[in-house]
Amino acid sequence: KSDGTLWGWGGNAKCQLGDGTTVNRQIPVQEATQATDWLSVSAGSFHTLALKTDGTLWSWGENSAGQLGDGTNIPKSAPVQESSQATNWVALAAGGDHTLALQSNGSLWSWGKNDFGQLGEGTQVDRNFPGPDSTLDSGWISISTGDRHTVALKSDGSLWTWGYNGYGQLGEGSNTSRSVPGQENTP
């Protein structure tokens, strides 16, 4: 809301509403902390991320693959801060079971499920804490996630993709998944 509060509704079996319960909600309910400094929010399959005005990043819900970034694999029913406790986050994107976030210096960080390389750091190993993408670039300006793939825009206007590519969603002319950022193939 414009007053900085954050509300959710719908399925809540995995604590994804952040209200401290697992009760499904048919009407909006405020997240458990009742904070008034939320700036933006993104929802994954069963986890939620939110950015505060002070540049901190918080999450709650399912955490079996470390998608909350708090250094554990334990689900949380109320907001918890990611493990680095950085204060320079500017954008976030929740995938199916993975998370991406941009820092104000243009660096890209990811954590969570990585079975198809959707974290972009060169492996297929899940990570429960924020880590940089394999490029270590500081030119990222925008991010978006799908269920198991990631898309990011660089300041030079180039578009990069990585992760699952079974249907060609990486836009590079094949159906081969990749675990590092690669540029899409615009004709």
Side-chain angles (χ1 to χ4, degrees), residues 92-113:
L92 47 88
D97 294 317
H98 73 291
T99 299
L100 265 77
L102 281 176
Q103 291 190 341
S104 57
N105 65 1
S107 62
L108 180 62
W109 298 76
S110 59
W111 54 95
K113 190 77 172 164

Side-chain angles (χ1 to χ4, degrees), residues 109-177:
W109 298 76
S110 59
W111 54 95
K113 190 77 172 164
N114 196 29
D115 52 343
F116 289 95
Q118 58 264 49
L119 300 185
E121 43 74 59
T123 75
Q124 292 181 330
V125 176
D126 297 350
R127 181 169 55 203
N128 63 12
F129 57 89
D133 78 286
S134 66
T135 68
L136 301 177
D137 194 356
S138 60
W140 302 105
I141 60 170
S142 182
I143 52 176
S144 185
T145 55
D147 182 37
R148 295 177 290 177
H149 74 286
T150 302
V151 179
L153 182 66
K154 286 190 176 182
S155 56
D156 65 4
S158 61
L159 188 63
W160 297 71
T161 59
W162 57 95
Y164 182 67
N165 195 32
Y167 300 99
Q169 55 266 61
L170 300 186
E172 43 74 61
S174 80
N175 291 92
T176 304
S177 300

Side-chain angles (χ1 to χ4, degrees), residues 57-59 68-70 80-87 89 111 130:
L57 194 149
W58 299 73
S59 55
L68 302 185
D70 68 342
V80 293
Q81 191 173 0
E82 53 78 29
S83 64
S84 78
Q85 298 189 353
T87 59
W89 299 110
W111 54 95

